[in-house]
Amino acid sequence: MLTNKSAKQRTSKPATEQARIRNIIRLGFASVLGLTFCLGVLGLYQLHNSKSSLINIVELGNEKISLAIKMRDAIRLRALTVQRMLATDDYFRRDEELQQYYEHSGVYRIAQQALLTMQMTAEEKQIHETLRSLASIAQPINDEAAEMLMQDPLPAEFNSALEKAVLTQRQLLQLLDQFVDLQKSYGKASVTAAQEEFQSTIFLMLMVVVLLLLAGSAIAKRVTHLVTSKNSELEAKNKELEAAWFEAANATHAKSKFLANMSHEIRTPLTSIIGFAETLAEPSQNQDDLRHAAEAIKQSGRHLSQIINDVLDISKIEVGQVEMEMIPVSPTAIVSEVANMVEEKIKKKGLKFRANYYFPLPKLIEIDPTRLRQILLNLLGNAAKFTNEGIICINTYYLADERMMKYEVSDTGIGMTPQGAAKVFEPFSQAEKSTTRRFGGTGLGLSISKQLAEKMGGDIVCESRKGEGSTFTATISIGDIHYPDLIYEADELSRIPVNQAVSTRPQRTLFSGRVLLAEDTIENQKLISLHLHKSGVEVTLADDGEQAVNAALQNNYDLILMDMQMPVLSGAEATRTLRDAGYTGPIVVLTANTGQADRMECMDAGANDFLSKPIDFDRFFAMLKTYLVEASLPATSRLRQAGEQPGAVFSEDSELQELYNSFLRRLPEMIESIKDAAQQQNWQELTHVSHQLKGLGGSFGYHHLTAVCKNIHDCARQQSNEKLDEFIAELQDEYRLIQHGDMTTRKAV
């Protein structure tokens, strides 16, 4: 069976080759026939084009000549009418001839206008322009001479006018003759061009015939070439096999190198684990020895786990299985957290450590916080590993134009040569072999970090000098937060935790005094006044800026809390009005507009302070301490913390719970208002409603809702449709999460 099968395979190969040759021959003849057909079609097409072009040129030239002759005849007939008027003494006869004169002038103008509308060459346009310029001079002269003939006796200047008229008429006739001659020369040139095109068509057809002959010759050569090409194919296959062998050998070498690296890295912690585990079994060990052994096993286990995690990370990255959890986080707080994690380790080596922030910096960016921590920990860990003296710094910048965060990790360590720095991001590579022997490590950390940075829209680059130190610069995109709030001062950093959850619960303080709260949103009125009442403060409400101005001028208040965006008079306008009227009491602006320009507008209007919505009650009560007299309050009273699930603390206070329920009832109506205003491009209404919801969302724990409404509010203020539909859809998705009670995405801003 095997023999027969092999024989069939051998006999089928020549048959297949013969069929291939037949197909090539058929293809060749089909190509010859196709080229012949194309030749005929091309020749006919060229002849048709030549004929059409010649006809068009001749017809156009004839029409131009006809119009020029009409103009020339009109000039001559007009001269004859003048001669006939001069020859007769009959006044009425002269009048008839004058009418004929004007009729000929009309014929001239009509022909001239028709000629003007036709397509002309530059030379024709020049003659026509000269003709028109001369006609504008000749026409009044001829008309004047003709009109003088109607006078009896003839004026003394008639002879002079007649001479001028005759001279200009001759010049016009010369130009028209020149125009006619030019048209004739164009006609001759067109005929010559048609002849040349015909000759080129014949030449092209001859060339195609030559190509057909060459194609036939090529087919014959191709048939003979097939036999010799088999040897070339066999040689190429041998080369491919040789290249595949070398590739397999390289892969085997890389695998061996990887296994050797991993074997070394894994054996080191395993040796420690096994050795200290054996000491645990010895009865002579005291408690300190046992504790030391257990700690060593734990540290080695963590090291081993890190090695395995690095290998898994690099393999996931290479096959594209790394998923990013992009959520709003504080970039500065992550730096602070990472700095706290590595600072003790760095200082134990006798090194100095600094974390520097270059303002302004965004309050929130949208990234994967776990991966950013991993990048920064790798960079700082590397800096600590290769630095024995000096300082390690991490500098944080915001590149507003590129919408990128930039983190620089610099050290005064051993540094690298340019060759070493060029390959430092390669997997399983370190700058030099001596580095691996001296410091250890798999060489995966920087490769992983660079690829993670690239997946977050950035990169990592390295600058290094041997013996002086290195600087690794990581850039990360800020994500889909288009207009991030910015922080401008170092004291604001402490108020921005990584996951937006406040770690300490603010204690309520009892105050005495009277506060005027100017706020147009009912929910905010109730929420703020409730906290003020619980703090012992007497509160007066104003629904708009005008009411706030009237109330402040008619009563005595210890503090005015002024919303920025209100009907009738805005917060800034109301503040400015009060200051102009001589009001000197403290005014603090509460607003969801937290940009630097908004802050400056409030301060320029005369405000004493500025607090952003949603309200941070730590800052709120700290502000109250500045302007009101305080007293103590039992420690059992507290406020709901930013980042807690809505309802978890509200349920402890029936009044807060009612406010929360009222907000949830009104939320669908506000979202519909935003959608309607966006659809109708009612920017004023969209600005107003999105501003309200921007402040309310965070006040009731829905801080992502505040972030979305801020984006919508920015679009409304700029009257921009760009990404507005996307933000509206995101708002609807957020509302669906709220409806289903999903609190996992609730983050403070």
Side-chain angles (χ1 to χ4, degrees), residues 238-419:
N238 287 335
K239 289 181 180 179
E240 289 178 5
L241 290 173
E242 187 177 356
W245 183 86
F246 278 114
E247 185 177 351
N250 289 334
T252 302
H253 177 71
K255 178 181 177 182
S256 299
K257 182 180 178 182
F258 168 75
L259 291 175
N261 283 334
M262 288 300 99
S263 174
H264 172 75
E265 292 300 324
I266 291 174
R267 282 176 182 275
T268 300
L270 276 180
T271 300
S272 175
I273 291 171
I274 293 170
F276 280 106
E278 290 174 350
T279 63
L280 293 177
E282 296 178 5
S284 60
Q285 300 294 321
N286 56 34
Q287 289 297 321
D288 290 338
D289 292 335
L290 293 175
R291 190 179 301 108
H292 174 69
E295 183 65 25
I297 291 172
K298 182 174 70 173
Q299 294 296 334
S300 298
R302 287 176 178 173
H303 183 201
L304 185 60
S305 175
Q306 184 60 47
I307 293 172
I308 295 172
N309 287 337
D310 284 349
V311 174
L312 291 176
D313 275 345
I314 199 71
S315 63
K316 286 180 180 179
I317 290 172
E318 289 179 350
V319 299
Q321 292 183 349
V322 173
E323 296 182 357
M324 296 290 176
E325 184 188 6
M326 312 301 279
I327 59 174
V329 294
S330 165
T332 55
I334 289 181
V335 173
S336 177
E337 178 184 299
V338 170
N340 289 335
M341 294 170 66
V342 302
E343 185 173 13
E344 183 178 356
K345 175 183 176 182
I346 291 173
K347 289 185 175 180
K348 278 183 178 179
K349 292 188 68 174
L351 303 173
K352 295 179 181 179
F353 176 69
R354 286 182 187 164
N356 302 315
Y357 303 91
Y358 293 84
F359 299 98
L361 294 171
K363 197 172 184 181
L364 283 180
I365 62 174
E366 192 171 86
I367 57 164
D368 187 327
T370 302
R371 295 304 183 180
L372 179 56
R373 287 190 194 94
Q374 183 177 354
I375 291 171
L376 298 181
L377 283 171
N378 271 331
L379 296 180
L380 287 169
N382 257 24
K385 181 192 293 186
F386 299 112
T387 303
N388 293 322
E389 60 180 0
I391 186 171
I392 295 174
C393 294
I394 178 169
N395 303 319
T396 304
Y397 306 84
Y398 173 47
L399 309 178
D401 293 339
E402 293 87 356
R403 302 183 68 253
M404 305 279 279
M405 293 297 302
K406 184 172 81 168
Y407 299 96
E408 283 183 353
V409 176
S410 60
D411 62 63
T412 55
I414 61 175
M416 293 175 283
T417 63
Q419 296 78 10

Side-chain angles (χ1 to χ4, degrees), residues 6-229:
S6 300
K8 287 181 181 179
Q9 288 177 346
R10 287 194 297 271
T11 56
S12 65
K13 287 182 179 179
T16 303
E17 191 64 30
Q18 291 175 4
R20 184 182 176 191
I21 294 173
R22 285 197 300 270
N23 290 334
I24 292 175
I25 294 172
R26 289 170 184 167
L27 179 62
F29 282 114
S31 300
V32 171
L33 291 175
L35 288 172
T36 304
F37 176 76
C38 292
L39 172 64
V41 172
L42 181 62
L44 292 174
Y45 177 75
Q46 289 288 347
L47 291 174
H48 175 74
N49 279 350
S50 299
K51 178 183 175 183
S52 300
S53 176
L54 185 60
I55 290 173
N56 290 335
I57 293 172
V58 170
E59 288 179 350
L60 183 62
N62 288 340
E63 189 173 354
K64 290 180 180 179
I65 291 172
S66 175
L67 291 172
I69 291 173
K70 279 185 180 181
M71 294 169 66
R72 188 172 60 185
D73 290 343
I75 292 172
R76 288 173 176 169
L77 290 172
R78 194 167 61 182
L80 287 175
T81 57
V82 173
Q83 292 294 330
R84 285 195 295 270
M85 290 174 68
L86 186 61
T88 182
D89 294 330
D90 187 349
Y91 178 82
F92 294 103
R93 178 64 178 167
R94 286 182 182 177
D95 186 61
E96 290 177 2
E97 292 297 337
L98 183 62
Q99 297 303 318
Q100 289 292 324
Y101 169 86
Y102 284 121
E103 288 178 6
H104 296 319
S105 296
V107 171
Y108 177 89
R109 284 193 299 272
I110 292 172
Q112 185 185 30
Q113 291 297 325
L115 187 61
L116 184 61
T117 59
M118 301 182 72
Q119 185 178 1
M120 294 187 185
T121 64
E123 192 174 0
E124 289 175 326
K125 289 180 179 179
Q126 184 178 3
I127 294 175
H128 191 75
E129 187 63 32
T130 306
L131 187 66
R132 188 170 59 177
S133 176
L134 183 59
S136 65
I137 298 172
Q139 186 66 35
I141 296 173
N142 282 274
D143 291 348
E144 182 182 7
E147 292 291 345
M148 285 182 180
L149 286 170
M150 295 301 297
Q151 301 177 22
D152 195 12
L154 292 174
E157 63 271 15
F158 171 73
N159 290 331
S160 174
L162 183 61
E163 288 177 3
K164 291 181 181 179
V166 171
L167 178 61
T168 55
Q169 296 281 45
R170 286 176 183 171
Q171 292 174 341
L172 288 173
L173 290 173
Q174 288 175 358
L175 285 172
L176 288 170
D177 289 339
Q178 185 180 351
F179 188 81
V180 171
D181 292 339
L182 183 62
Q183 294 304 315
K184 291 178 180 179
S185 67
Y186 283 165
K188 291 179 182 179
S190 300
V191 171
T192 302
Q195 291 175 345
E196 292 176 353
E197 189 172 357
F198 177 76
Q199 291 174 356
S200 66
T201 302
I202 296 300
F203 176 76
L204 182 62
M205 295 177 71
L206 290 174
M207 290 296 296
V208 173
V209 170
V210 173
L211 288 175
L212 291 176
L213 293 175
L214 291 175
S217 175
I219 292 171
K221 288 183 179 180
R222 177 61 180 167
V223 172
T224 56
H225 176 71
L226 286 173
V227 178
T228 58
S229 65

Side-chain angles (χ1 to χ4, degrees), residues 514-519 528 532 537-540 542 544-545 547-563 566 571 574-575 578-579 583-590 606-611 620 623-624 627-628:
R514 301 182 65 199
V515 173
L516 173 62
L517 174 60
E519 169 65 61
I528 298 171
L532 289 172
V537 176
E538 180 183 342
V539 182
T540 302
D544 56 55
Q547 291 183 16
V549 170
N550 294 334
L553 295 178
Q554 295 172 9
N555 300 279
N556 293 322
Y557 295 103
D558 299 293
L559 175 64
I560 297 177
L561 300 178
M562 186 81 73
D563 184 31
M566 293 186 293
T575 301
L578 286 173
R579 295 309 188 200
Y583 186 84
T584 58
I587 301 175
V588 176
V589 172
L590 303 177
N608 297 87
D609 207 343
F610 178 100
L611 288 180
F620 181 77
M623 177 272 298
L624 292 182
Y627 300 107
L628 299 179

Side-chain angles (χ1 to χ4, degrees), residues 472-486:
F472 287 84
T473 302
T475 53
I476 305 292
S477 170
I478 67 170
D480 292 334
I481 298 180
H482 298 278
Y483 306 102
D485 290 339
L486 300 179

